[in-house]
Amino acid sequence: MLRTPPLSLAYLLKHHRETVAAAGCAVFLLCGWLILQFTATGASLQVVGLLLLVLAYIVGGYGSAIEGLTTLWEERELDVDLLMIVAALGAAGLGWWKQEYELIVDGAVLILIFAISGALEGYAMARTERSIRSLMSLTPDLARSIVSGIERETPIDRLQVGDILLVRPGELIPTDAIVMAGASSIDRSAITGESIPVATAIGDEVFGGTINGNGVLTLRVHQPPASSLIQRIITLVQQAQTATPASQAFIEKFERGYAKIIVIAGLLLATLPPFLWHWTWETTIYRALIFLVVASPCALMAAIMPTLLSGIANGARQGIPFKGGHTLETIGQVKAVAFDKTGTLTTGKLAVVEILSIERTSTDEILQLAAAVESGSEHPIGRAILTATQTRNLAFDPATEMTASPGLGIVGTLWGQQIVVGKTQLMPEPIRTKIATHPALIAELAATGKTIVWVASGDELCGAIALADTLRPESVALIQRLQQMGIAQIMLTGDRSESAYAIAKKLGITQVHADLLPEDKVDLIKQLQAQYQAVAMVGDGINDAPALAAANIGIAMGGVGSDVALDTADVVLMTDALDKLAQAIELGRRTQRIIKQNIAFALSFILLLLVGNFMGGINMPLGVFGHEGSTVLVTLSGLRLLR
């Protein structure tokens, strides 16, 4: 059982250092400001207030100072972290020199703003590690190998090509292998996205991480476990998540360029005016320090983070958690959305969609006969038939002497008559002959991607039950909404092409790619990115994890989504509410608009303050007021998203 770690200071410093720094800075700043605010000039308590402000500088600015100095030393680059420290210390030094302690408080506020930003940046730091752990849980630690006729447990990493494995019903397939003996149905939904288990017989390949059905299988390992499909998925997730997005690289480059320009301009302003315009050195230093304060990018940074935080809070209230501000910003740029089919656009559960009567047997009787044989079945087809029977309030007597044939169907006895429910191959010869007389019916059902289950009683062909994975109720409206928004829709699925095209036709999706393995989905995501630039991927299964990580935005279904899909994704649609995808994109677009407005205002106001300072039209209090005022206005603008 997992235990919650104790909430100790050591634990917080290890896992939430940025948050602790921001909280400590805020506490020291508030306490120091209150003491200075309500203490008479010259009182001894002022020393305590100043010491608290010093602690605010140290606690809040230590991480930024170290990062800025490290960047300067190792990369010979200036960044915003170092500029913030210089501006804050400049304000503090000027405040101490002129005995204006409000300036020291202003410097501490600058430190606090950046400390909060640093805390937010670590929001999704451990995502990759969690994703890999979730993937690794798909394969057992040990495999049951057969050596000289003796069964023994062997660690997965010690398996070699040619080893013989035994897998019992309900167990995970330990690694990719070839079936040597036995037959079963394999649940491959975690790997390929197929909606129903796949019949497997001698000579077929099975994948590690899939679940064996109701038959005992003897397997031969045909490739090293390190090369198995599940291991390739893990590698794809690692590669996709360690890549730095182009937008993030641009932001980092811009911050460093901005800091470099401001520092160089500050140095020039502190040295050249006495020679060019005959300013006094006192005026020159004073103007240079004002320049560092008003040029500090707090308003510029506030143009982004409060807006993103407000958008994240807005999304959380709507059941759309965003994993980081960059995700919210990026989703507004999405031009195409790729959907997995099974469990995303559809419910992922088979349902009876049609009952076809043959030889005068009623549809209710056909369903009752099938339910009688499937009464004890745990197979998805059996559960769907029983559900349909309950929906129609039909009573039935359970059959006896049931015999299941993996991948084919089931046979039972009812009222002394043999009842067969399953594929054509399971039917007695007279029934197969009758089925062959309905080629048009078979072709029509196959073309629509439905699964056909024939029902026979003795020598009589009663009819057929057609089952299919059903659409989510909100899927059609979502696709129409995306079309109105000018966003392309693409289906990527590991399911059969017949089923994929049938679902796509109902939804109005024209771009369909079926029969895909996880690595195929990643390749297609890259192709879509080349065409549309910003691409979102929506999925729910482990097979979707690499594509979720490779896409610009990975979106996971929260209600039934696998742990790895949720950990890999950037956005989670809680309670499987697919219609919230359009809301998420609209929220991202609105966030983008507000950020652009805020950036334009922040840059304009900074420019206005810089010109005013150069012309000698503002003093330090006015410069600080203008700087802090613009920061507050930009922050309030971003908070509009909370509505």
Side-chain angles (χ1 to χ4, degrees):
M1 183 176 67
L2 295 175
R3 294 188 304 164
T4 302
L7 195 62
S8 63
L9 179 59
Y11 175 81
L12 291 174
L13 288 175
K14 180 179 180 181
H15 298 279
H16 305 283
R17 182 174 56 85
E18 296 89 351
T19 304
V20 172
C25 179
V27 171
F28 289 132
L29 170 59
L30 179 61
C31 294
W33 176 79
L34 288 174
I35 291 175
L36 293 176
Q37 189 75 11
F38 299 103
T39 301
T41 303
S44 58
L45 277 178
Q46 280 195 341
V47 176
V48 177
L50 291 173
L51 287 176
L52 289 173
L53 290 179
V54 170
L55 287 175
Y57 275 78
I58 295 173
V59 172
Y62 176 79
S64 296
I66 294 299
E67 184 174 346
L69 291 173
T70 301
T71 301
L72 179 63
W73 178 259
E74 295 182 354
E75 303 179 25
R76 301 296 188 268
E77 291 282 354
L78 293 169
D79 62 8
V80 173
D81 293 319
L82 191 58
L83 176 60
M84 180 275 301
I85 295 297
V86 173
L89 292 179
L94 185 60
W96 182 264
W97 173 41
K98 296 178 69 67
Q99 295 296 296
E100 296 177 5
Y101 298 143
E102 293 83 358
L103 299 179
I104 302 178
V105 174
D106 289 332
V109 170
L110 301 181
I111 295 282
L112 176 60
I113 292 174
F114 260 71
I116 293 174
S117 298
L120 296 171
E121 288 174 359
Y123 185 73
M125 288 290 290
R127 186 174 62 186
T128 299
E129 182 181 351
R130 294 198 307 270
S131 299
I132 301 306
R133 284 203 305 266
S134 299
L135 284 169
M136 294 300 292
S137 66
L138 287 175
T139 55
D141 295 329
L142 301 173
R144 189 180 291 106
S145 60
I146 306 297
V147 180
S148 301
I150 300 175
E151 182 180 315
R152 64 176 61 175
E153 291 186 336
T154 304
I156 297 294
D157 56 4
R158 293 186 182 178
L159 292 177
Q160 298 179 356
V161 175
D163 284 354
I164 304 301
L165 308 179
L166 183 68
V167 181
R168 294 194 171 97
E171 294 182 341
L172 281 168
I173 305 295
T175 188
D176 294 3
I178 301 296
V179 178
M180 300 294 294
S184 183
S185 58
I186 304 295
D187 181 358
R188 305 197 309 189
S189 58
I191 299 297
T192 66
E194 291 165 286
S195 54
I196 60 175
V198 177
T200 300
I202 296 174
D204 292 339
E205 180 181 16
V206 293
F207 299 116
T210 58
I211 302 174
N212 185 24
N214 51 8
V216 178
L217 296 177
T218 301
L219 310 176
R220 177 179 59 82
V221 179
H222 69 296
Q223 64 179 351
S227 301
S228 66
L229 181 60
I230 187 63
Q231 293 299 326
R232 296 202 305 272
I233 292 177
I234 293 173
T235 301
L236 288 170
V237 171
Q238 288 175 321
Q239 292 174 346
Q241 289 193 319
T242 54
T244 302
S247 58
Q248 183 64 29
F250 172 78
I251 290 174
E252 293 174 358
K253 183 177 180 180
F254 173 80
E255 288 179 348
R256 293 178 182 180
Y258 180 87
K260 191 180 300 182
I261 292 172
I262 295 303
V263 168
I264 293 174
L267 292 174
L268 293 175
L269 187 58
T271 55
L272 294 182
F275 303 101
L276 298 178
W277 301 291
H278 305 293
W279 288 8
T280 64
W281 282 107
E282 181 179 354
T283 300
T284 299
I285 299 299
Y286 186 62
R287 292 296 168 196
L289 290 175
I290 294 176
F291 173 83
L292 287 177
V293 172
V294 300
S296 176
C298 291
L300 187 60
M301 302 308 293
I304 299 174
M305 288 312 303
T307 305
L308 294 177
L309 288 174
S310 300
I312 290 173
N314 188 320
R317 288 204 304 267
Q318 299 184 61
I320 313 171
F322 293 91
K323 293 186 177 180
H326 179 67
T327 298
L328 177 60
E329 188 176 21
T330 304
I331 198 172
Q333 304 169 0
V334 165
K335 296 296 187 296
V337 178
F339 292 93
D340 174 50
K341 180 184 74 69
T342 306
T344 302
L345 292 170
T346 67
T347 61
K349 298 178 181 179
L350 284 177
V352 174
V353 294
E354 191 174 0
I355 302 175
L356 303 171
S357 177
I358 300 176
E359 297 183 0
R360 299 181 301 279
T361 306
S362 70
T363 56
D364 284 352
E365 289 175 329
I366 293 171
L367 199 56
Q368 287 172 308
L369 287 172
V373 179
E374 299 280 7
S375 58
S377 174
E378 291 297 323
H379 193 278
I381 290 178
R383 290 198 297 267
I385 290 174
L386 292 173
T387 299
T389 307
Q390 295 170 358
T391 302
R392 296 192 179 198
N393 294 319
L394 299 176
F396 60 88
D397 294 326
T400 59
E401 302 176 8
M402 273 94 73
T403 303
S405 298
L408 296 177
I410 190 169
V411 179
T413 301
L414 181 66
W415 305 321
Q417 191 79 265
Q418 177 179 273
I419 308 298
V420 184
V421 179
K423 295 182 178 180
T424 305
Q425 299 92 309
L426 186 64
M427 298 293 162
E429 180 59 35
I431 300 298
R432 288 204 297 270
T433 302
K434 292 180 180 180
I435 291 175
T437 63
H438 300 278
L441 173 62
I442 297 173
E444 178 185 353
L445 292 174
T448 57
K450 296 173 183 175
T451 298
I452 308 171
V453 175
W454 299 98
V455 180
S457 176
D459 292 333
E460 181 182 359
L461 175 61
C462 301
I465 299 175
L467 303 98
D469 191 3
T470 54
L471 282 175
R472 291 184 181 276
E474 67 272 20
S475 293
V476 175
L478 170 66
I479 297 302
Q480 292 175 349
R481 178 64 183 135
L482 293 179
Q483 291 171 349
Q484 294 170 358
M485 296 169 68
I487 296 174
Q489 316 94 48
I490 303 95
M491 181 188 293
L492 308 180
T493 178
D495 211 344
R496 297 173 295 121
S497 58
E498 296 87 356
S499 177
Y501 279 101
I503 293 296
K505 184 177 180 180
K506 293 179 181 179
L507 292 171
I509 296 177
T510 57
Q511 298 188 55
V512 180
H513 301 272
D515 299 308
L516 301 176
L517 290 174
E519 53 200 22
D520 300 325
K521 292 184 179 181
V522 173
D523 291 338
L524 283 167
I525 287 293
K526 293 178 180 178
Q527 295 176 23
L528 292 172
Q529 287 171 327
Q531 180 179 359
Y532 296 102
Q533 286 77 54
V535 177
M537 172 69 192
V538 189
D540 73 304
I542 292 159
N543 61 294
D544 300 319
L548 290 173
N552 299 86
I553 293 293
I555 303 171
M557 306 296 289
V560 298
S562 66
D563 291 339
V564 65
L566 299 183
D567 287 337
T568 307
D570 302 295
V571 183
V572 180
L573 304 179
M574 302 305 293
T575 66
D576 284 348
L578 188 60
D579 55 338
K580 292 186 180 296
L581 173 59
Q583 297 178 28
I585 295 175
E586 289 173 344
L587 182 59
R589 289 183 173 183
R590 187 180 171 201
T591 300
Q592 271 195 311
R593 289 196 300 270
I594 293 178
I595 286 176
K596 290 177 181 177
Q597 294 167 3
N598 289 350
I599 289 176
F601 174 80
L603 290 175
S604 299
F605 212 85
I606 288 174
L607 181 61
L608 179 63
L609 290 174
L610 291 175
V611 172
N613 178 49
F614 182 78
M615 300 299 293
I618 61 174
N619 55 20
M620 178 61 72
L622 183 58
V624 172
F625 177 80
H627 173 268
E628 300 298 337
S630 63
T631 303
V632 170
L633 289 176
V634 167
T635 301
L636 292 176
S637 174
L639 295 179
R640 287 183 288 164
L641 284 175
L642 287 175
R643 291 181 300 179

